Amino acid sequence: GIGDLLLRAVTESLRACLRESDTVARIGGDEFVIIARSVEDEASACGVAEKIRLVLDQPFSIDGHRLAISCSIGIALYPEHGEDDIVLVKHADAAMYEAKKSGKNRVVTA
């Protein structure tokens, strides 16, 4: 349906914002995890996240429908916020929920 087509369009938009070395994965529902291995610092991570936020803020044309979405992005940095994927994802997830709680359509660092 339209929801599946929208998720595919979102995935394509995310991939267009990333480098070859980055990984994007849908972890359920409308939640995605992005692993950006060569991000040098918090400013660089926030720059990538803001680029993604702006791209996803543009309306999508899906099957004759114009759909607007927003996104909430949580960032966790290695090694400041964790030294393994499980801890980093946990902190990024908490930051994402903070972004949602504080008004959605924003970027929050752990």
Side-chain angles (χ1 to χ4, degrees), residues 87-100:
V87 173
L88 288 168
V89 168
K90 179 180 158 194
H91 287 285
D93 193 52
M96 181 214 36
Y97 280 104
E98 185 61 36
K100 285 184 176 188

Side-chain angles (χ1 to χ4, degrees), residues 7-22:
L7 284 170
R8 284 191 200 128
V10 166
T11 302
E12 289 172 19
S13 294
L14 290 173
R15 286 191 179 129
C17 291
L18 303 175
R19 301 160 299 183
E20 286 279 324
S21 62
D22 299 335

Side-chain angles (χ1 to χ4, degrees), residues 59-80:
F60 288 84
S61 293
I62 307 289
D63 201 21
H65 300 277
R66 191 172 164 91
L67 304 173
I69 64 170
S70 66
C71 67
S72 298
I73 300 174
I75 296 173
L77 300 165
Y78 172 87
E80 298 94 311

